[in-house]
Amino acid sequence: MHMSDEREIAAPVADVWAALTSAETLQACVPGAKEVTGNAEDGFEATVTQKVGPVKATFKGNVVLSNMIEGESLTLTGEGKGGAAGFAKGGADVKLVETEAGTLLSYEVDAKVGGKLAQLGSRLIDGFAKKMADQFFTNLQEALEGPAEGGADEAAPEGEKKGLLKRLTGG
């Protein structure tokens, strides 16, 4: 599967670069990440738990950064094994361009899955992969810019924000 997108991030290129090459930031941004260790030079090891359709698995794998041109571009290549659930592997080419508002981050992702995951069908897998990529880059953007303005709880006065369950039940 192949997908691409771009995002405008209100942060300097150097900050976006530093975030993309930091184990702590990656752990905070990768949906379902339980642990990310390592560094940009030697690569990262990660443990990620995800549910794709009826299949829930914990993937252990590694991510290697290559083709690194500081402040401009890099390639992330990763592979994870989820036991009986199967495996996932792929890569992303990320480009950074300085803009008046901060940084334009563009990416192209190629991914493959195998095992039980592959049996779920390409529409489910493609939708999940797009959601994961979107969530990662949203998390990265929020880590650099702070939370987006005008969230769902914005109307509630400070200290009176209600959780989803209370809003649904009127409690």
Side-chain angles (χ1 to χ4, degrees):
M1 106 195 52
H2 183 87
M3 63 187 139
S4 60
D5 201 357
E6 60 183 34
R7 289 182 177 254
E8 184 81 31
I9 299 176
V13 168
D15 291 356
V16 177
W17 180 266
L20 285 170
T21 57
S22 156
E24 294 79 23
T25 305
L26 292 175
Q27 181 169 341
C29 294
V30 173
K34 302 294 181 211
E35 182 180 23
V36 177
T37 58
N39 58 56
E41 291 77 35
D42 301 325
F44 300 100
E45 290 189 8
T47 303
V48 177
T49 300
Q50 276 300 327
K51 187 172 190 315
V52 185
V55 179
K56 182 176 181 183
T58 297
F59 293 89
K60 291 187 182 287
N62 57 16
V63 176
V64 176
L65 303 183
S66 60
N67 304 327
M68 293 173 61
I69 302 172
E70 186 163 348
E72 288 183 31
S73 62
L74 60 86
T75 300
L76 296 117
T77 308
E79 184 173 352
K81 292 181 173 51
F87 69 87
K89 64 168 111 176
D93 289 318
V94 179
K95 291 185 176 38
L96 306 175
V97 177
E98 188 173 348
T99 65
E100 284 185 26
T103 304
L104 179 66
L105 180 149
S106 58
Y107 62 91
E108 287 192 43
V109 177
D110 273 309
K112 294 182 178 118
V113 296
K116 279 187 184 176
L117 288 175
Q119 296 170 4
L120 295 174
S122 63
R123 285 180 54 194
L124 179 65
I125 295 296
D126 290 356
F128 175 77
K130 178 163 180 21
K131 180 179 156 196
M132 286 283 290
D134 287 345
Q135 188 63 55
F136 171 80
F137 287 108
T138 296
N139 292 348
L140 179 68
Q141 191 168 0
E142 287 181 358
L144 289 161
E145 295 178 354
E149 297 288 321
D153 286 327
E154 206 60 31
E158 197 58 43
E160 291 182 31
K161 293 184 178 183
K162 294 183 178 182
L164 178 61
L165 186 61
K166 288 187 176 180
R167 285 195 310 244
L168 292 174
T169 59

